[in-house]
Amino acid sequence: MPFTKVYIHCVWSTKNRFPFLNSIDLRQKVWQHIKENALKKDIYLDFINGYTDHFHCLISLGTDQTIQKTIQLLKGESSYWINKNQLTIDKFE
């Protein structure tokens, strides 16, 4: 049986590079939420970090996971969660 390992380095930025993630505490809450969400959805998130206007993820794709669906599950859900919990003053985009 063949063995395949695919790692994807993803970088997301906030809309217009606005510094929504302007505190270390906020960034750590968001990173922790993304890690927990990935774990629930069987997405192997090897590393996550970033700054006020962007973040990086290193993801290992499973054999049945597509890049599109994996990014959607992480990025879309995290933006929704940030807005639902009103973690930023303005609407997070």
Side-chain angles (χ1 to χ4, degrees), residues 20-32 49-52:
F20 283 108
L21 306 170
N22 55 8
S23 75
I24 292 172
D25 183 53
L26 175 58
R27 288 193 296 269
Q28 288 176 342
K29 282 181 188 175
V30 172
W31 303 168
Q32 186 60 38
N49 205 345
Y51 196 57
T52 60

Side-chain angles (χ1 to χ4, degrees), residues 48-61:
I48 185 169
N49 205 345
Y51 196 57
T52 60
D53 62 352
H54 73 282
F55 69 94
H56 301 255
C57 288
L58 184 62
I59 302 165
S60 176
L61 291 181

Side-chain angles (χ1 to χ4, degrees), residues 74-89:
L74 293 178
K75 184 180 172 209
E77 194 281 336
S78 62
S79 292
Y80 173 79
W81 180 80
I82 290 168
N83 286 319
K84 182 179 94 174
N85 291 290
Q86 299 176 337
L87 298 179
T88 57
I89 294 169

